[in-house]
Amino acid sequence: MRDIIVEAQNLCVGFGEKKLFRKLNFSIEKNTIMGIKGKNGAGKTTLCLALAGIETQAEISGSILYGGKAVRLLSIAERARSVGIIFQSPDSRLFSPVVEDEIAFAPENLCLARGDINSRIEFALELCGISHLRHSRTNTLSGGEKQLVAIASVLSMKPELIIADEIFASLDSGGRIRIFRALQDYAAMGSVLMVSHSKEELSLCGGGVIELEAYED
């Protein structure tokens, strides 16, 4: 039996008269990496925000379901357990001066016990291969290190689905390899949805690729 994390049914998204896509249907199964590709302006980031339940500007119809429940009806705690999103620029996400505090922030806001928070910090640091950065100051990190910390801060929530929106764009080959390995390791526990323009990266998406095309009346 298929273990589906999220399902989109007849999803239509647009801004007024501008339609991005319509009647989009797909599901993401557990332990898979899926990709999203499309030209600039096709709605890739808007789709990611809609799947995370944080798109507030677009007109959306159809349904996005986590465990059969609409994303808009999920509580904050339910949404945190269901989906986490990582953006292209880590500088826009990191706000704590120390790496450990950055990773601890989200589980602290779920009011987890201190022991559970520490376990999640260690889990996320180890998965991303940055345990040595635990007590580093975030403003001293390289671009690749900042992106790994941003990923770790999402992993500390242990969501069922990680959405990675163009997170490889500004990294060198070594940084891309480290980050993709972290996402591969996480897919053994949950699932990953990855936006990319790279054919090489998309070829590694064993769960398939969602292709967004220009809407036509």
Side-chain angles (χ1 to χ4, degrees):
M1 183 176 178
R2 299 169 65 198
D3 191 353
I4 295 175
I5 300 296
V6 60
E7 186 171 14
Q9 299 175 343
N10 295 320
L11 192 61
C12 303
V13 175
F15 295 88
E17 296 183 357
K18 179 178 173 58
K19 306 302 180 184
L20 296 177
F21 47 83
R22 62 175 181 175
K23 295 185 179 179
L24 188 64
N25 293 277
F26 64 88
S27 59
I28 302 175
E29 296 182 31
K30 187 175 182 179
N31 305 135
T32 60
I33 299 179
M34 284 190 68
I36 300 178
K37 71 175 181 179
K39 295 180 180 179
N40 289 337
K44 298 184 299 297
T45 293
T46 302
L47 175 58
C48 290
L49 295 174
L51 290 172
I54 56 176
E55 173 56 58
T56 60
Q57 303 298 316
E59 299 169 1
I60 302 172
S61 62
S63 58
I64 298 170
L65 306 173
Y66 288 87
K69 188 174 181 178
V71 65
R72 66 181 183 278
L73 300 179
L74 298 177
S75 67
I76 293 174
E78 287 174 326
R79 191 173 298 172
R81 289 191 294 268
S82 298
V83 57
I85 186 167
I86 309 162
F87 296 101
Q88 181 175 342
S89 174
D91 289 314
S92 65
R93 178 180 178 87
L94 303 183
F95 54 87
S96 297
V98 178
V99 169
E100 180 179 42
D101 295 337
E102 181 69 31
I103 298 171
F105 179 81
E108 283 176 344
N109 277 270
L110 286 181
C111 300
L112 299 181
R114 189 69 240 177
D116 290 337
I117 293 171
N118 287 334
S119 294
R120 291 194 178 211
I121 293 170
E122 292 167 3
F123 158 79
L125 287 170
E126 184 175 349
L127 192 65
C128 292
I130 54 172
S131 296
H132 61 290
L133 298 177
R134 180 168 185 160
H135 302 294
S136 298
R137 299 192 68 81
T138 53
N139 62 2
T140 66
L141 303 179
S142 68
E145 289 171 337
K146 287 180 179 179
Q147 192 63 282
L148 283 164
V149 171
I151 292 171
S153 68
V154 175
L155 297 186
S156 69
M157 300 296 290
K158 295 188 176 180
E160 293 181 307
L161 175 67
I162 294 285
I163 299 174
D165 185 12
E166 294 280 11
I167 65 174
F168 302 97
S170 60
L171 301 177
D172 59 23
S173 59
R176 288 195 295 271
I177 290 170
R178 289 182 67 192
I179 289 171
F180 194 79
R181 283 177 179 169
L183 295 178
Q184 282 183 310
D185 288 342
Y186 195 77
M189 302 169 241
S191 297
V192 176
L193 180 62
M194 184 175 70
V195 177
S196 177
H197 289 288
S198 167
K199 291 183 179 179
E200 181 182 4
E201 290 164 5
L202 290 171
S203 71
L204 299 174
C205 297
V209 176
I210 302 163
E211 186 166 2
L212 300 182
E213 299 178 354
Y215 173 88
E216 296 182 2
D217 291 323

